[in-house]
Amino acid sequence: MIISVIGSGGKTTKIKQLKDQYLKEGKSVLMTTSTHMKIEEKTLVDPSYEEIINEIKKHGYVHAGGKAKNQKIKALDDEVLERLKKEIDVILIEADGSHGLPLKYPRNNEPVVDKDSNEIILITSLKGLGKPVQDVVHGYQEMKIDGNQKVDSLFIQQLINIYLEKIKNSLKDTPLESLWILQLIEQNPRYH
C-alpha cells in the first residue's frame, strides 16, 4: 500500500501516526518523500536498497531519502523505490512541501503524488483562519491576491478545491482506493 500525504500544516505528524498504527498491525513501513522533508533522528540519507531492507528487518520501519540541502531529504532513487514497493507493506510519502505553514497553494507541478498511490490524504489547517494570507499560506503569490487578505473558511475551501482538481487531472488513470481530507484545528502559537 502506498499512501501519499499532501497539503500543509501536519503532514509529517500524520505520517508518524500512520507509521505507528501500521507497526502495531505488524506491517513493515517506509517513510519517505517525493519532494523534500526534514532529516530527523534515525533518518537514512542516500541509502542503498540493502541498507533500507536491513533497517526494516531490525525495526520494522525506516525513514529514508536522498540527500538534499538544508538538513532535508529528497525522493529516493526511482529504481530503489520501485524495488521497495515489492518488499514493504506500507510506503508513506510526504508528497508536498509547505515550509511548515498551515495552508498551501499548490504550484503547477505540485503535489508530487506517486503514480502507484492507493490512498491520498490531503491535510489543511484551520490555524490560519483570520490571519493575513501572506503569513499563513505557502505559495500565495501565485494566486495573485492581496497578501493582507484575511483567510476565511471559503478561502480554505478554495484551496481544497484546487487540490482536488489537480489530483483528478494528474491521476485520472490511477485507481485510488480512497482520498481523505483532514482539517486540523489545534492551535499553534507560531500563527497567533
Side-chain angles (χ1 to χ4, degrees), residues 8-9 21 27 48 57 121 151 173 176 192:
S8 56
Q21 172 191 326
K27 298 187 185 227
S48 67
K57 286 178 183 174
I121 299 174
V151 171
D173 298 326
L176 277 179
H192 290 298

Side-chain angles (χ1 to χ4, degrees), residues 57-182:
K57 286 178 183 174
K58 281 190 232 171
H59 304 288
Y61 76 96
V62 64
H63 183 198
K67 183 159 179 55
K69 298 186 252 179
N70 302 327
Q71 292 297 309
K72 292 191 174 190
I73 56 171
K74 62 182 181 179
L76 287 166
D77 176 79
D78 286 340
E79 286 181 34
V80 170
L81 184 58
E82 288 305 312
R83 286 180 69 189
L84 292 169
K85 287 177 182 179
K86 298 171 187 156
E87 301 293 325
I88 297 176
D89 298 323
V90 180
I91 299 177
L92 303 170
I93 302 175
E94 187 170 300
D96 211 358
S98 62
H99 292 276
L101 293 174
L103 296 165
K104 177 176 180 176
Y105 175 80
R107 295 183 191 108
N108 288 337
N109 60 342
E110 297 171 326
V112 185
V113 175
D114 188 278
K115 65 182 175 23
D116 296 322
S117 294
N118 304 96
E119 284 187 20
I120 296 175
I121 299 174
L122 168 57
I123 296 179
T124 65
S125 175
L126 299 180
K127 295 175 194 175
L129 281 173
K131 311 284 188 295
V133 167
Q134 65 191 1
D135 294 342
V136 294
V137 181
H138 178 63
Y140 81 91
Q141 300 88 339
E142 295 191 30
M143 296 180 80
K144 299 185 180 12
I145 60 171
D146 179 2
N148 291 311
Q149 174 184 327
K150 301 285 190 218
V151 171
D152 60 17
S153 59
L154 291 176
F155 182 87
I156 293 173
Q157 187 59 51
Q158 179 185 11
L159 292 175
I160 291 170
N161 289 341
I162 291 166
Y163 267 104
L164 294 176
E165 190 65 29
K166 285 179 162 281
I167 291 166
K168 182 177 115 182
N169 290 335
S170 67
L171 298 176
K172 53 186 151 207
D173 298 326
T174 302
L176 277 179
E177 292 175 18
S178 57
L179 168 66
W180 300 86
I181 299 173
L182 303 179

Side-chain angles (χ1 to χ4, degrees), residues 19-83:
K19 175 209 44 142
D20 292 342
Q21 172 191 326
Y22 286 115
L23 283 175
K24 284 180 186 171
E25 294 175 11
K27 298 187 185 227
S28 58
V29 180
L30 165 64
M31 299 180 305
T32 191
T33 183
S34 60
T35 57
H36 291 95
M37 189 177 190
K38 288 182 183 174
I39 294 174
E40 299 186 7
E41 189 176 343
K42 298 182 181 178
T43 300
L44 293 183
V45 180
D46 282 337
S48 67
Y49 168 83
E50 290 77 16
E51 289 173 307
I52 293 172
I53 292 299
N54 286 337
E55 197 69 14
I56 290 282
K57 286 178 183 174
K58 281 190 232 171
H59 304 288
Y61 76 96
V62 64
H63 183 198
K67 183 159 179 55
K69 298 186 252 179
N70 302 327
Q71 292 297 309
K72 292 191 174 190
I73 56 171
K74 62 182 181 179
L76 287 166
D77 176 79
D78 286 340
E79 286 181 34
V80 170
L81 184 58
E82 288 305 312
R83 286 180 69 189

